[in-house]
Amino acid sequence: MAAAAYTGPVIPPGEPAAYEKETGRLEAFSDGVFAIAMTLLVLDLKVPKAAELHGPGGLLGALADQWPTFLAYLTSFLTILVMWVNHHILFDNIRRISRRFLFINGMLLLFVTFVPFPTALLAEYIRQPQARVAAVVYAGTYFVLAIWFNLLWRHASAGHRLLDPQASPAVVATITRQYSFGPPLYLAALGLAFVSVPASVALCLLLAVYFAFTGAFGRSQGADPDRPAAGT
């Protein structure tokens, strides 16, 4: 009977606390992974050694010379931040989990933890002849992440499978529509990497800002005003 409960469209009466505990554990685990990924990004920022400072620029010049690392750090941090916020918003609407959902969420987190690698790669090679390859890996990572976000949400929302019975149909439809833009937009950034590395990186940064406003902020405005806020 427990296995059947995970596939039904409605939470069984008298069991919401148990389901919220399960989703709470998964969200807490995911939050930890997002936090680790964001923390690892800062490790690429290096403090210039005093003995290595040469030229009239001194320390300021050495810091300015690290602009690719700071740019990659900013872009990746903002993107992971937006992904974390949107992941949290998804769980405002999700009240149950399934085994397949766990694996999809795990694959999403796999690529979240991978983000520091293409970030470091891009910072290292953005001024080198191999910059195009680094940009392809960087934009390609976000393209794959966008796909897994869509798979996560579509698995949960199909037939209201894992959603809160009180989830607003309008909000669910809005999330589905907004998520559908992710893969093609990041695919455009991936294709742009073959033409212009700066343009590809700039598009990735703009997409982070775009999804922050159209995703997190837009959905909060479209929430059901009669429904209690999460955690209340």
Side-chain angles (χ1 to χ4, degrees):
M1 295 299 295
Y6 278 92
T7 57
V10 180
I11 298 176
E15 296 187 18
Y19 281 105
E20 291 184 5
K21 178 180 179 181
E22 291 177 356
T23 56
R25 289 178 59 193
L26 180 59
E27 188 173 8
F29 172 76
S30 300
D31 287 348
V33 174
F34 275 105
I36 291 172
M38 296 171 76
T39 302
L40 290 177
L41 291 171
V42 78
L43 298 181
D44 291 322
L45 302 179
K46 306 298 182 183
V47 176
K49 302 295 183 182
E52 298 174 355
L53 298 181
H54 303 288
L59 178 58
L60 184 61
L63 291 173
D65 194 52
Q66 291 191 53
W67 70 263
T69 303
F70 285 104
L71 176 62
Y73 168 78
L74 176 64
T75 304
S76 296
F77 189 94
L78 288 178
T79 304
I80 295 179
L81 176 61
V82 172
M83 287 191 294
W84 172 71
V85 171
N86 282 286
H87 190 269
H88 176 71
I89 291 175
L90 292 189
F91 276 84
D92 282 346
N93 295 279
I94 296 171
R95 283 296 178 269
R96 301 165 61 241
I97 59 175
S98 68
R99 182 174 300 178
R100 183 175 299 179
F101 183 82
L102 289 172
F103 278 111
I104 296 175
N105 190 73
M107 291 302 298
L108 171 66
L109 297 179
L110 168 67
F111 286 97
V112 169
T113 57
F114 181 72
V115 167
F117 172 76
T119 300
L121 189 71
L122 182 66
E124 180 67 25
Y125 286 95
I126 194 171
R127 292 180 292 184
Q128 304 298 324
Q130 301 87 351
R132 183 173 300 172
V133 176
V136 167
V137 175
Y138 186 79
T141 300
Y142 289 124
F143 170 63
V144 175
L145 274 165
I147 291 177
W148 280 109
F149 254 109
N150 272 270
L151 290 174
L152 185 73
W153 173 246
R154 291 182 183 276
H155 174 75
S157 62
H160 229 68
R161 181 187 288 126
L162 304 178
L163 300 185
D164 188 327
Q166 300 180 26
S168 168
V171 172
V172 172
T174 298
I175 294 175
T176 301
R177 182 176 63 255
Q178 291 175 344
Y179 268 49
S180 66
F181 292 119
L185 288 175
Y186 278 109
L187 182 60
L190 176 59
L192 196 58
F194 291 95
V195 180
S196 172
V197 172
S200 178
V201 176
L203 180 55
C204 287
L205 180 58
L206 289 175
L207 287 176
V209 177
Y210 168 78
F211 284 115
F213 282 91
T214 64
F217 300 152
R219 287 171 212 147
S220 64
Q221 294 173 356
D224 186 349
D226 297 325
R227 183 181 172 189
T232 61

